[in-house]
Amino acid sequence: MSFRSQLAKARATLERRLRPEPIEIELDVVEQLIVQHLLLVEQASFDELVDAVLVARPTANGQQVRLSLIRFESFRLINRILHPELEPGKQMSFTLTPDGRRLKTVIPAVPRSRIQTWL
């Protein structure tokens, strides 16, 4: 393999890493409320997120929030932060990643229905 072809291959790899393929993501109302809350407070525990969602959507539950957080982690939209010095049950909090903060532009002020967007 020539130097020129190695350089082209390295450049293509770097380009893929810097500008990954956009992914289509669908967000339900609970997920939109989670993103809104994390945009406001920057870091929140699971209980705080459940409370924030229940204020705006009383029919939601903790299981929906838990599944949404798992889904967000798979898309790399949130990070977990461990706090071992706190009491059990409050040792983990969540923040948005830079990709997660990009959702700010597509989340409506009052979520009412599912939305689809590209990241």
Side-chain angles (χ1 to χ4, degrees), residues 79-116:
N79 286 324
R80 289 183 190 201
I81 300 173
L82 296 176
H83 305 282
E85 70 279 359
L86 297 178
E87 63 187 75
K90 298 187 185 232
Q91 293 179 336
M92 190 177 312
S93 61
F94 302 91
T95 61
L96 290 171
T97 63
D99 282 340
R101 285 192 290 279
R102 287 181 21 210
L103 290 171
K104 181 179 186 175
T105 59
V106 297
I107 302 288
V110 181
R112 292 195 173 105
S113 62
R114 289 182 171 268
I115 60 170
Q116 283 186 298

Side-chain angles (χ1 to χ4, degrees), residues 31-48:
E31 292 168 338
Q32 293 173 55
L33 292 169
I34 291 170
V35 171
Q36 273 186 339
H37 186 70
L38 288 173
L39 285 168
L40 283 174
V41 300
E42 292 190 21
Q43 184 175 344
S45 69
F46 176 76
D47 292 336
E48 292 169 347

Side-chain angles (χ1 to χ4, degrees), residues 12-73:
T13 302
L14 181 62
E15 188 73 26
R16 274 195 310 273
R17 287 186 183 171
L18 293 175
R19 294 188 196 135
E21 290 281 326
I23 58 167
E24 185 177 16
I25 184 169
E26 185 174 334
L27 301 171
D28 64 19
V29 176
V30 170
E31 292 168 338
Q32 293 173 55
L33 292 169
I34 291 170
V35 171
Q36 273 186 339
H37 186 70
L38 288 173
L39 285 168
L40 283 174
V41 300
E42 292 190 21
Q43 184 175 344
S45 69
F46 176 76
D47 292 336
E48 292 169 347
L49 290 172
V50 170
D51 292 343
V53 168
L54 290 177
V55 165
R57 189 144 178 116
T59 57
N61 60 44
Q63 184 66 23
Q64 287 175 302
V65 174
R66 185 172 285 110
L67 291 173
S68 296
L69 291 173
I70 292 168
R71 189 164 173 262
F72 282 164
E73 275 191 308

